[in-house]
């Protein structure tokens, strides 16, 4: 009896101690958990990076300064830039890029085809380009030696004067010719000898022929724009008298305009009769019989701005060639935003050029309409030069 009572008392005491130990265990667990959290936060809290803060603050301050300065400069401008100025700048930039593309493309094709580089090409590639006012290409043929000599004796400076014209006035003048069907033959050797004497030729990768004038025109512009960075590129026939100073002063007035096409604009009939001069084999493309051509410059002399010359160079392989080169050139600009400038001083007849010169209205180009050039030019151009010329010192005193 006493043993049973003692056993029950011991069991009751053990239950009480167990209950107490469970409460303390739970309390200790909670205390350890809280202590661990506090220890962990203190351990992983990094000190503030003072150097990084200063750098970030400085950068943000600089940004705020730039923004405030930009806003201040905008606020100071009373008038926004004219949209025309923006368009002009964009046009000039695009034209410059097109010209560089054309030059690179022409050089690459020359290398791939194995064509020898001319002296002008070597000079151009060695000294990356200066800016010129104009390149004047005088279209000539193998049989026109006397015409070339008469041009050299009248309106075209030669020797050191020609070099001075390039350096001081930014005017390049070259006789433009390709090669004969038998490359390296007697005709080509004669031109090479003449070029060694005068150094005033631009040789083209082109087979000469009257029916190939449209192709020659394309190749001339593509070659010229690759060799010289000029504001304008001019084509003139070797039986036409030109006043260089008056031409330069005229072109300068249009220098800031993009895509300029200057000449004596005409719109003659489309001739479908075979055997007549200026016959158009593709007359049917111009509509009914008796129709006229679209407006284009006469072939004796015309000028185009450098962006149009670049356009021809880049697209020369897909530009269609009509029988007449002046018609072909006009057709290449159809559909483009081109400024056609009709200047009648580029096509003065004789003796009208003399009357205009006496009145102080100097002509740019003079020739005989009946011959589409100066009749017997090798003999008569000196007379035209004396009567219609602007004077020997005009080009040296002119300011372009």
């Amino acid at each position: 009896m006493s043993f049973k009572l003692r056993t029950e008392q011991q069991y009751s005491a053990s239950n009480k101690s167990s209950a107490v130990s469970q409460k303390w265990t739970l309390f200790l667990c909670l205390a350890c958990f809280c202590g661990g959290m506090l220890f962990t936060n203190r351990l992983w809290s990094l000190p503030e990076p003072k150097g990084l803060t200063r750098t970030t603050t400085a950068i943000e301050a600089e940004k705020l300064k730039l923004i405030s300065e930009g806003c201040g400069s905008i606020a100071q401008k009373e008038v926004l830039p004219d949209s025309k100025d923006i368009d002009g700048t964009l046009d000039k930039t695009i034209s410059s890029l097109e010209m560089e593309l054309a030059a690179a493309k022409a050089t690459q094709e020359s290398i791939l085809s194995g064509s020898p580089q001319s002296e002008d090409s070597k000079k151009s590639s060695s000294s990356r380009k200066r800016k010129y006012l104009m390149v004047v290409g005088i279209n000539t043929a193998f049989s026109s030696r006397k015409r070339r000599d008469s041009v050299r004796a009248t309106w075209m400076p030669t020797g050191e004067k020609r070099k001075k014209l390039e350096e001081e006035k930014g005017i390049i003048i070259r006789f433009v010719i390709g090669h004969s069907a038998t490359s390296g033959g007697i005709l080509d050797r004669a031109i090479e000898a003449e070029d060694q004497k005068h150094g005033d030729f631009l040789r083209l990768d082109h087979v000469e022929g009257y029916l190939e004038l449209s192709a020659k025109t394309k190749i001339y512009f593509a070659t010229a724009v690759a060799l010289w960075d000029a504001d304008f590129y001019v084509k003139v026939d070797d039986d036409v008298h030109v006043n260089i100073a008056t031409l330069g002063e005229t072109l300068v007035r249009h220098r800031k305009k993009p895509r300029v096409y200057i000449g004596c604009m005409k719109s003659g009939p489309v001739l479908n009769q075979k055997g007549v001069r200026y016959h158009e084999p593709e007359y049917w493309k111009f509509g009914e019989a008796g129709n006229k051509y679209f407006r284009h410059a006469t072939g004796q002399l015309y000028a185009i701005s450098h962006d149009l010359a670049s356009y021809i160079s880049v697209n020369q392989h897909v530009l269609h060639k009509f029988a007449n080169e002046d018609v072909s050139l006009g057709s290449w600009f159809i559909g483009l935003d081109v400024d056609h400038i009709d200047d009648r001083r580029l096509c003065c007849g004789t003796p009208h050029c003399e009357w205009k010169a006496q009145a102080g209205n100097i002509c740019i180009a003079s020739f005989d309409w009946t011959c589409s050039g100066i009749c017997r030019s090798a003999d008569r151009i000196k007379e035209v030069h004396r009567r219609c010329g602007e004077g020997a010192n005009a080009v040296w005193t002119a300011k372009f």
Side-chain angles (χ1 to χ4, degrees), residues 348-386:
C348 293
T350 59
H352 300 89
C353 60
E354 181 181 2
W355 303 338
K356 292 183 178 181
Q358 292 173 354
N361 186 20
I362 302 293
C363 288
I364 297 173
S366 304
F367 54 89
D368 299 316
W369 279 103
T370 54
C371 298
S372 296
I374 298 175
C375 300
R376 306 188 315 277
S377 66
D379 301 322
R380 292 187 59 246
I381 195 171
K382 289 184 179 180
E383 176 187 352
V384 176
H385 182 66
R386 180 176 60 84

Short mmCIF file of all heavy atoms in Angstrom, two decimals, residues 348-386:
data_model
loop_
_atom_site.label_atom_id
_atom_site.label_comp_id
_atom_site.label_asym_id
_atom_site.label_seq_id
_atom_site.Cartn_x
_atom_site.Cartn_y
_atom_site.Cartn_z
N CYS A 348 24.84 80.86 -127.59
CA CYS A 348 24.81 82.05 -128.43
C CYS A 348 25.27 81.71 -129.84
O CYS A 348 26.27 81.02 -130.03
CB CYS A 348 25.72 83.14 -127.86
SG CYS A 348 25.17 83.81 -126.28
N GLY A 349 24.53 82.19 -130.82
CA GLY A 349 24.95 82.03 -132.20
C GLY A 349 25.90 83.13 -132.61
O GLY A 349 26.05 84.15 -131.93
N THR A 350 26.60 82.91 -133.71
CA THR A 350 27.44 83.97 -134.28
C THR A 350 26.67 84.59 -135.44
O THR A 350 26.02 83.86 -136.21
CB THR A 350 28.77 83.39 -134.79
OG1 THR A 350 28.50 82.40 -135.78
CG2 THR A 350 29.55 82.76 -133.66
N PRO A 351 26.69 85.91 -135.61
CA PRO A 351 27.51 86.91 -134.90
C PRO A 351 26.83 87.53 -133.68
O PRO A 351 27.30 88.55 -133.17
CB PRO A 351 27.73 87.97 -135.98
CG PRO A 351 26.45 87.95 -136.75
CD PRO A 351 25.98 86.52 -136.76
N HIS A 352 25.72 86.94 -133.19
CA HIS A 352 25.01 87.54 -132.06
C HIS A 352 25.88 87.64 -130.81
O HIS A 352 25.72 88.57 -130.00
CB HIS A 352 23.76 86.70 -131.74
CG HIS A 352 22.79 86.62 -132.89
ND1 HIS A 352 22.87 85.63 -133.83
CD2 HIS A 352 21.74 87.42 -133.24
CE1 HIS A 352 21.90 85.80 -134.72
NE2 HIS A 352 21.21 86.88 -134.39
N CYS A 353 26.82 86.71 -130.65
CA CYS A 353 27.69 86.75 -129.48
C CYS A 353 28.53 88.03 -129.47
O CYS A 353 28.83 88.59 -128.39
CB CYS A 353 28.58 85.52 -129.43
SG CYS A 353 29.68 85.33 -130.86
N GLU A 354 28.91 88.50 -130.65
CA GLU A 354 29.69 89.74 -130.73
C GLU A 354 28.84 90.93 -130.30
O GLU A 354 29.31 91.81 -129.57
CB GLU A 354 30.21 89.94 -132.14
CG GLU A 354 31.06 91.20 -132.30
CD GLU A 354 31.55 91.39 -133.72
OE1 GLU A 354 31.21 90.58 -134.60
OE2 GLU A 354 32.29 92.39 -133.96
N TRP A 355 27.60 90.99 -130.74
CA TRP A 355 26.72 92.11 -130.38
C TRP A 355 26.48 92.12 -128.87
O TRP A 355 26.48 93.18 -128.24
CB TRP A 355 25.40 92.00 -131.13
CG TRP A 355 25.57 91.96 -132.62
CD1 TRP A 355 26.63 92.40 -133.34
CD2 TRP A 355 24.63 91.41 -133.56
NE1 TRP A 355 26.43 92.18 -134.68
CE2 TRP A 355 25.20 91.57 -134.84
CE3 TRP A 355 23.38 90.81 -133.47
CZ2 TRP A 355 24.57 91.15 -136.01
CZ3 TRP A 355 22.75 90.40 -134.63
CH2 TRP A 355 23.33 90.57 -135.88
N LYS A 356 26.30 90.93 -128.30
CA LYS A 356 26.08 90.85 -126.86
C LYS A 356 27.33 91.25 -126.08
O LYS A 356 27.25 91.89 -125.03
CB LYS A 356 25.65 89.43 -126.47
CG LYS A 356 24.27 89.05 -126.99
CD LYS A 356 23.86 87.68 -126.52
CE LYS A 356 22.45 87.34 -127.00
NZ LYS A 356 22.01 86.00 -126.54
N ALA A 357 28.50 90.88 -126.60
CA ALA A 357 29.75 91.26 -125.95
C ALA A 357 29.92 92.77 -125.95
O ALA A 357 30.38 93.36 -124.96
CB ALA A 357 30.93 90.58 -126.63
N GLN A 358 29.56 93.39 -127.04
CA GLN A 358 29.67 94.85 -127.12
C GLN A 358 28.71 95.52 -126.15
O GLN A 358 28.99 96.62 -125.65
CB GLN A 358 29.38 95.31 -128.56
CG GLN A 358 30.45 94.89 -129.56
CD GLN A 358 30.07 95.20 -130.99
OE1 GLN A 358 28.94 95.65 -131.27
NE2 GLN A 358 31.00 94.99 -131.92
N ALA A 359 27.59 94.86 -125.86
CA ALA A 359 26.61 95.42 -124.92
C ALA A 359 26.94 95.05 -123.47
O ALA A 359 26.20 95.43 -122.56
CB ALA A 359 25.22 94.92 -125.28
N GLY A 360 28.02 94.33 -123.26
CA GLY A 360 28.42 93.95 -121.91
C GLY A 360 27.77 92.69 -121.40
O GLY A 360 27.94 92.33 -120.23
N ASN A 361 27.06 91.97 -122.26
CA ASN A 361 26.41 90.71 -121.87
C ASN A 361 27.18 89.55 -122.50
O ASN A 361 26.79 89.01 -123.53
CB ASN A 361 24.95 90.72 -122.33
CG ASN A 361 24.18 89.50 -121.83
OD1 ASN A 361 24.59 88.84 -120.87
ND2 ASN A 361 23.07 89.20 -122.48
N ILE A 362 28.28 89.19 -121.88
CA ILE A 362 29.17 88.17 -122.44
C ILE A 362 28.48 86.81 -122.49
O ILE A 362 27.84 86.38 -121.53
CB ILE A 362 30.45 88.06 -121.60
CG1 ILE A 362 31.18 89.40 -121.54
CG2 ILE A 362 31.37 86.98 -122.15
CD1 ILE A 362 31.74 89.86 -122.84
N CYS A 363 28.61 86.15 -123.63
CA CYS A 363 28.06 84.79 -123.78
C CYS A 363 29.00 83.78 -123.12
O CYS A 363 30.21 83.99 -123.03
CB CYS A 363 27.89 84.45 -125.25
SG CYS A 363 26.53 85.32 -126.05
N ILE A 364 28.42 82.67 -122.69
CA ILE A 364 29.21 81.59 -122.13
C ILE A 364 29.76 80.70 -123.24
O ILE A 364 30.94 80.38 -123.27
CB ILE A 364 28.36 80.76 -121.15
CG1 ILE A 364 27.93 81.62 -119.96
CG2 ILE A 364 29.15 79.54 -120.66
CD1 ILE A 364 26.95 80.94 -119.04
N ALA A 365 28.90 80.31 -124.16
CA ALA A 365 29.31 79.44 -125.26
C ALA A 365 28.77 80.01 -126.57
O ALA A 365 27.63 80.48 -126.63
CB ALA A 365 28.79 78.03 -125.05
N SER A 366 29.58 79.95 -127.61
CA SER A 366 29.20 80.50 -128.92
C SER A 366 29.51 79.49 -130.02
O SER A 366 30.55 78.81 -129.97
CB SER A 366 29.96 81.81 -129.20
OG SER A 366 29.75 82.75 -128.17
N PHE A 367 28.61 79.40 -130.99
CA PHE A 367 28.79 78.49 -132.13
C PHE A 367 27.79 78.87 -133.21
O PHE A 367 26.95 79.76 -133.02
CB PHE A 367 28.62 77.03 -131.71
CG PHE A 367 27.31 76.75 -131.01
CD1 PHE A 367 26.18 76.39 -131.74
CD2 PHE A 367 27.20 76.84 -129.63
CE1 PHE A 367 24.97 76.13 -131.10
CE2 PHE A 367 26.00 76.58 -128.99
CZ PHE A 367 24.88 76.22 -129.71
N ASP A 368 27.87 78.19 -134.34
CA ASP A 368 26.95 78.41 -135.45
C ASP A 368 25.85 77.34 -135.40
O ASP A 368 26.16 76.14 -135.46
CB ASP A 368 27.69 78.32 -136.79
CG ASP A 368 28.78 79.37 -136.91
OD1 ASP A 368 28.52 80.53 -136.55
OD2 ASP A 368 29.90 79.02 -137.36
N TRP A 369 24.61 77.78 -135.33
CA TRP A 369 23.51 76.84 -135.24
C TRP A 369 23.43 75.95 -136.48
O TRP A 369 23.04 74.78 -136.40
CB TRP A 369 22.19 77.58 -135.03
CG TRP A 369 21.96 77.98 -133.61
CD1 TRP A 369 22.10 79.22 -133.07
CD2 TRP A 369 21.56 77.13 -132.53
NE1 TRP A 369 21.81 79.21 -131.72
CE2 TRP A 369 21.47 77.92 -131.37
CE3 TRP A 369 21.27 75.77 -132.44
CZ2 TRP A 369 21.10 77.41 -130.13
CZ3 TRP A 369 20.90 75.25 -131.21
CH2 TRP A 369 20.82 76.06 -130.07
N THR A 370 23.80 76.49 -137.62
CA THR A 370 23.69 75.72 -138.86
C THR A 370 24.63 74.51 -138.86
O THR A 370 24.36 73.52 -139.55
CB THR A 370 23.99 76.61 -140.08
OG1 THR A 370 25.28 77.22 -139.89
CG2 THR A 370 22.94 77.69 -140.25
N CYS A 371 25.71 74.60 -138.13
CA CYS A 371 26.69 73.51 -138.08
C CYS A 371 26.67 72.78 -136.74
O CYS A 371 27.48 71.85 -136.54
CB CYS A 371 28.09 74.05 -138.35
SG CYS A 371 28.33 74.79 -139.97
N SER A 372 25.78 73.21 -135.82
CA SER A 372 25.75 72.65 -134.46
C SER A 372 27.10 72.79 -133.77
O SER A 372 27.46 72.03 -132.87
CB SER A 372 25.32 71.17 -134.48
OG SER A 372 24.01 71.06 -134.95
N GLY A 373 27.86 73.76 -134.20
CA GLY A 373 29.18 74.07 -133.68
C GLY A 373 29.72 75.19 -134.55
O GLY A 373 29.03 75.67 -135.45
N ILE A 374 30.93 75.60 -134.32
CA ILE A 374 31.52 76.63 -135.18
C ILE A 374 31.89 75.99 -136.51
O ILE A 374 32.67 75.03 -136.54
CB ILE A 374 32.76 77.26 -134.51
CG1 ILE A 374 32.37 77.95 -133.20
CG2 ILE A 374 33.43 78.25 -135.46
CD1 ILE A 374 33.55 78.50 -132.43
N CYS A 375 31.33 76.50 -137.58
CA CYS A 375 31.64 75.97 -138.91
C CYS A 375 33.13 76.16 -139.20
O CYS A 375 33.68 77.24 -138.98
CB CYS A 375 30.81 76.68 -139.98
SG CYS A 375 29.02 76.50 -139.76
N ARG A 376 33.78 75.07 -139.63
CA ARG A 376 35.23 75.09 -139.87
C ARG A 376 35.96 75.67 -138.65
O ARG A 376 36.74 76.62 -138.73
CB ARG A 376 35.58 75.89 -141.12
CG ARG A 376 34.83 75.44 -142.37
CD ARG A 376 35.34 76.14 -143.64
NE ARG A 376 35.53 77.58 -143.46
CZ ARG A 376 34.55 78.48 -143.55
NH1 ARG A 376 33.31 78.07 -143.82
NH2 ARG A 376 34.81 79.78 -143.38
N SER A 377 35.68 75.11 -137.51
CA SER A 377 36.13 75.67 -136.24
C SER A 377 37.65 75.78 -136.14
O SER A 377 38.17 76.72 -135.52
CB SER A 377 35.60 74.83 -135.08
OG SER A 377 36.16 73.53 -135.10
N ALA A 378 38.38 74.85 -136.72
CA ALA A 378 39.84 74.91 -136.64
C ALA A 378 40.38 76.20 -137.25
O ALA A 378 41.42 76.71 -136.82
CB ALA A 378 40.45 73.69 -137.33
N ASP A 379 39.66 76.74 -138.24
CA ASP A 379 40.08 77.97 -138.90
C ASP A 379 39.40 79.20 -138.32
O ASP A 379 40.01 80.28 -138.28
CB ASP A 379 39.79 77.89 -140.40
CG ASP A 379 40.50 76.72 -141.06
OD1 ASP A 379 41.65 76.45 -140.68
OD2 ASP A 379 39.90 76.09 -141.96
N ARG A 380 38.15 79.09 -137.84
CA ARG A 380 37.36 80.26 -137.48
C ARG A 380 37.27 80.54 -135.98
O ARG A 380 36.83 81.61 -135.58
CB ARG A 380 35.94 80.12 -138.03
CG ARG A 380 35.85 80.18 -139.55
CD ARG A 380 34.40 80.21 -140.01
NE ARG A 380 33.69 81.37 -139.44
CZ ARG A 380 32.69 81.25 -138.56
NH1 ARG A 380 32.30 80.05 -138.14
NH2 ARG A 380 32.10 82.34 -138.10
N ILE A 381 37.68 79.61 -135.15
CA ILE A 381 37.49 79.83 -133.72
C ILE A 381 38.31 81.00 -133.20
O ILE A 381 37.92 81.68 -132.24
CB ILE A 381 37.81 78.54 -132.92
CG1 ILE A 381 37.25 78.65 -131.49
CG2 ILE A 381 39.30 78.25 -132.93
CD1 ILE A 381 37.31 77.35 -130.72
N LYS A 382 39.46 81.28 -133.84
CA LYS A 382 40.24 82.45 -133.42
C LYS A 382 39.48 83.73 -133.66
O LYS A 382 39.53 84.66 -132.85
CB LYS A 382 41.58 82.46 -134.15
CG LYS A 382 42.55 81.38 -133.69
CD LYS A 382 43.89 81.50 -134.39
CE LYS A 382 44.86 80.43 -133.90
NZ LYS A 382 46.19 80.54 -134.58
N GLU A 383 38.76 83.79 -134.76
CA GLU A 383 37.95 84.97 -135.06
C GLU A 383 36.82 85.11 -134.05
O GLU A 383 36.54 86.22 -133.55
CB GLU A 383 37.38 84.86 -136.48
CG GLU A 383 36.45 86.00 -136.87
CD GLU A 383 35.77 85.77 -138.20
OE1 GLU A 383 36.13 84.80 -138.90
OE2 GLU A 383 34.86 86.55 -138.54
N VAL A 384 36.15 84.00 -133.74
CA VAL A 384 35.08 84.03 -132.74
C VAL A 384 35.64 84.44 -131.39
O VAL A 384 35.03 85.22 -130.65
CB VAL A 384 34.38 82.66 -132.65
CG1 VAL A 384 33.34 82.65 -131.55
CG2 VAL A 384 33.74 82.30 -134.00
N HIS A 385 36.82 83.96 -131.07
CA HIS A 385 37.44 84.30 -129.79
C HIS A 385 37.75 85.80 -129.72
O HIS A 385 37.54 86.44 -128.67
CB HIS A 385 38.73 83.50 -129.63
CG HIS A 385 39.44 83.73 -128.34
ND1 HIS A 385 38.92 83.38 -127.12
CD2 HIS A 385 40.65 84.32 -128.07
CE1 HIS A 385 39.76 83.71 -126.15
NE2 HIS A 385 40.82 84.29 -126.71
N ARG A 386 38.20 86.36 -130.83
CA ARG A 386 38.52 87.79 -130.85
C ARG A 386 37.27 88.64 -130.74
O ARG A 386 37.26 89.65 -130.04
CB ARG A 386 39.26 88.11 -132.15
CG ARG A 386 39.66 89.58 -132.30
CD ARG A 386 40.49 89.79 -133.55
NE ARG A 386 39.76 89.39 -134.75
CZ ARG A 386 38.89 90.20 -135.38
NH1 ARG A 386 38.64 91.43 -134.91
NH2 ARG A 386 38.28 89.78 -136.47
#
